[in-house]
């Protein structure tokens, strides 16, 4: 006979199952908005690590983004291009390791692109380790300077771990974003080499069972008056994808719910990485103006309104820390090898 706690747990399980099915059906419907303009998925081989990404007008960022993740060991890139008009579509279709779909649909109504990506993940990601990131996010993990990503995923497989959690670490320069130039092909983490080593708060979400992390320079500078509205910094970008999996809220959480338990493990902590996020470059002013005009982002583009108002403000303080590599992040407690030695 069920007691009260068991009844509540059963009800939650049913609701989460319904929510997962709803995400899957949304992905199928929104797939009708996708038009494939470069299909090279026949080149995907068993064991290949795949990267999934939605982009719009990111021509300046794309060359380094692709080269960086190729260097880690990503074998194929699957992009959704959301009606770009800056030449980035043509650039991506010219890359032999990229498959590209184009959508003229609403980014906002596609759950900020996740419906499109959930469809592609379901169709092409099953059985692969998949990395789902934005064009301004760069995966860092223990030993990434000497070991390919496949070495980490092999160890995760052997350890029975299905996903890698990361902290999104915002990076900025010594001068305001409006005065921090960036040129295509350059390393944006050199242009914006600083980050906040502390200033992070977290709580556990009882519903999705993931950690909810906020803080860093965006909370400190752009959301100082309303810190609870600062962007979430917890992400689960690297997943051993299986049929039936879906991202529930951007890459902050997944269904089934158990995939979100990326930090706790019996007998010790799990490995954790970081997504370095050099967003605060000169590009931000133009991007903010475009996104405010389109009004396609979360909370009526509240985040981009804050950026537009603050691109002339410096994020740097005497307490800012220069990024020197994964070992430094581990020493600060921001990433962990979790037993992978």
């Amino acid at each position: 006979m069920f007691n009260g706690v068991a009844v509540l747990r059963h009800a939650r399980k049913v609701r989460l199952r319904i929510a997962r099915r709803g995400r899957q059906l949304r992905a199928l419907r929104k797939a009708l908005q996708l038009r494939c303009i470069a299909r090279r998925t026949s080149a995907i081989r068993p064991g290949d690590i795949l990267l999934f990404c939605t982009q719009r007008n990111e021509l300046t960022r794309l060359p380094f983004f692709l080269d960086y993740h190729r260097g880690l060991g990503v074998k194929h890139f699957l992009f959704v291009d959301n009606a770009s008009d800056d030449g980035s579509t043509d650039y991506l279709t010219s890359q032999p390791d990229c498959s590209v779909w184009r959508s003229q649909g609403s980014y906002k109504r596609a759950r900020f692109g996740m419906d499109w990506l959930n469809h592609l993940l379901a169709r092409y990601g099953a059985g692969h380790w998949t990395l789902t990131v934005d064009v301004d996010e760069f995966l860092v993990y223990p030993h990434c300077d000497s070991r390919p990503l496949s070495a980490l995923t092999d160890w995760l497989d052997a350890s029975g771990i299905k996903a890698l959690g990361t902290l999104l670490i915002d990076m900025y320069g010594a001068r305001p974003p409006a005065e921090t130039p960036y040129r295509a092909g350059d390393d944006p983490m050199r242009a914006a080499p600083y980050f906040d080593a502390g200033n992070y708060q977290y709580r556990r979400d009882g519903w999705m069972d993931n950690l909810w992390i906020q803080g860093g320079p965006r909370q400190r500078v752009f959301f100082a008056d309303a810190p609870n509205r600062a962007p979430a910094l917890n992400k689960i970008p690297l997943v051993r994808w299986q049929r039936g999996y879906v991202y529930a809220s951007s890459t902050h959480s997944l269904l089934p719910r158990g995939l979100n338990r990326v930090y706790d493990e019996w007998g010790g902590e799990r490995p954790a990485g970081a997504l370095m996020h050099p967003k605060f470059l000169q590009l931000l002013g133009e991007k903010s103006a475009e996104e405010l005009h389109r009004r396609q982002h979360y909370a009526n583009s509240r985040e981009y309104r804050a950026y537009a108002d603050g691109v002339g403000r410096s994020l740097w303080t005497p307490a800012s820390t220069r990024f020197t590599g994964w070992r430094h992040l581990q020493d600060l407690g921001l990433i962990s090898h979790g037993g992978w030695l």
Side-chain angles (χ1 to χ4, degrees):
M1 185 175 183
F2 286 136
N3 60 31
V5 173
V7 170
L8 290 174
R9 287 177 178 171
H10 178 72
R12 180 174 61 189
K13 184 181 294 186
V14 171
R15 289 179 64 185
L16 289 172
R17 188 180 300 124
I18 292 171
R20 176 155 56 122
R21 184 57 177 162
R23 298 288 193 276
Q24 292 170 326
L25 292 174
R26 283 184 62 94
L28 281 173
R29 291 199 304 271
K30 295 299 181 178
L32 299 174
Q33 298 177 342
L34 298 176
R35 179 172 62 90
C36 188
I37 56 176
R39 190 189 306 273
R40 302 185 177 99
T41 50
S42 61
I44 296 173
R45 297 291 178 257
D48 282 354
I49 297 173
L50 311 179
L51 187 149
F52 294 77
C53 182
T54 299
Q55 77 92 33
R56 173 183 164 83
N57 288 345
E58 297 285 8
L59 180 61
T60 304
R61 287 188 178 271
L62 282 169
F64 184 83
F65 173 83
L66 291 171
D67 286 345
Y68 179 89
H69 288 100
R70 286 167 180 150
L72 294 184
V74 170
K75 296 301 184 183
H76 201 83
F77 299 80
L78 296 92
F79 279 94
V80 175
D81 177 88
N82 187 204
S84 293
D85 56 14
D86 69 339
S88 53
T89 311
D90 291 338
Y91 177 79
L92 287 173
T93 57
S94 73
Q95 304 299 305
D97 55 356
C98 293
S99 293
V100 186
W101 287 259
R102 187 170 172 87
S103 175
Q104 300 285 354
S106 167
Y107 178 77
K108 184 176 183 178
R109 293 177 182 174
R111 291 179 52 253
F112 313 105
M114 291 314 302
D115 289 333
W116 300 326
L117 292 185
N118 272 333
H119 170 71
L120 295 182
L121 284 159
R123 185 167 182 181
Y124 300 104
H128 293 269
W129 279 95
T130 62
L131 181 62
T132 304
V133 289
D134 293 335
V135 179
D136 55 5
E137 297 174 349
F138 300 89
L139 180 66
V140 170
Y141 54 89
H143 311 292
C144 62
D145 56 352
S146 59
R147 303 183 195 177
L149 186 54
S150 58
L152 174 60
T153 56
D154 285 348
W155 183 84
L156 294 172
D157 277 333
S159 302
I161 298 173
K162 299 177 181 179
L164 180 79
T166 62
L167 172 67
L168 186 76
I169 299 179
D170 292 318
M171 303 183 73
Y172 50 89
R175 301 184 66 81
E179 300 174 30
T180 306
Y182 176 70
R183 184 177 61 183
D186 289 348
D187 182 348
M189 292 176 281
R190 292 185 181 274
Y194 295 100
F195 66 97
D196 285 14
N199 185 33
Y200 299 104
Q201 308 88 44
Y202 69 91
R203 60 180 173 82
R204 183 170 294 281
D205 184 323
W207 180 252
M208 294 299 293
D209 209 19
N210 62 325
L211 290 185
W212 194 259
I213 305 173
Q214 293 173 292
R218 281 191 283 179
Q219 185 187 70
R220 172 170 56 81
V221 175
F222 298 108
F223 294 90
D225 295 335
N228 62 315
R229 294 185 176 183
L233 304 179
N234 50 290
K235 297 223 170 182
I236 309 175
L238 185 65
V239 180
R240 178 60 128 140
W241 206 264
Q242 299 297 336
R243 297 192 187 280
Y245 289 5
V246 289
Y247 275 111
S249 174
S250 182
T251 54
H252 303 306
S253 61
L254 294 125
L255 290 170
R257 179 174 178 259
L259 295 169
N260 299 320
R261 301 186 190 110
V262 292
Y263 291 106
D264 298 334
E265 182 179 35
W266 295 300
E269 66 181 22
R270 291 180 182 235
L275 289 180
M276 308 311 293
H277 189 223
K279 187 180 190 72
F280 296 97
L281 304 169
Q282 203 171 58
L283 304 170
L284 185 60
E286 182 178 340
K287 189 71 172 177
S288 297
E290 178 186 10
E291 295 307 330
L292 285 175
H293 175 72
R294 295 178 68 227
R295 303 175 76 86
Q296 289 290 298
H297 279 267
Y298 177 74
N300 199 25
S301 300
R302 177 178 62 208
E303 187 176 338
Y304 279 96
R305 288 202 305 274
Y307 298 155
D309 293 339
V311 291
R313 299 171 59 186
S314 176
L315 283 72
W316 187 90
T317 76
S320 296
T321 302
R322 180 182 284 271
F323 176 59
T324 60
W326 70 266
R327 294 180 189 277
H328 189 197
L329 297 180
Q330 182 168 269
D331 290 343
L332 292 169
L334 299 179
I335 71 172
S336 172
H337 60 69
W340 184 45
L341 301 175

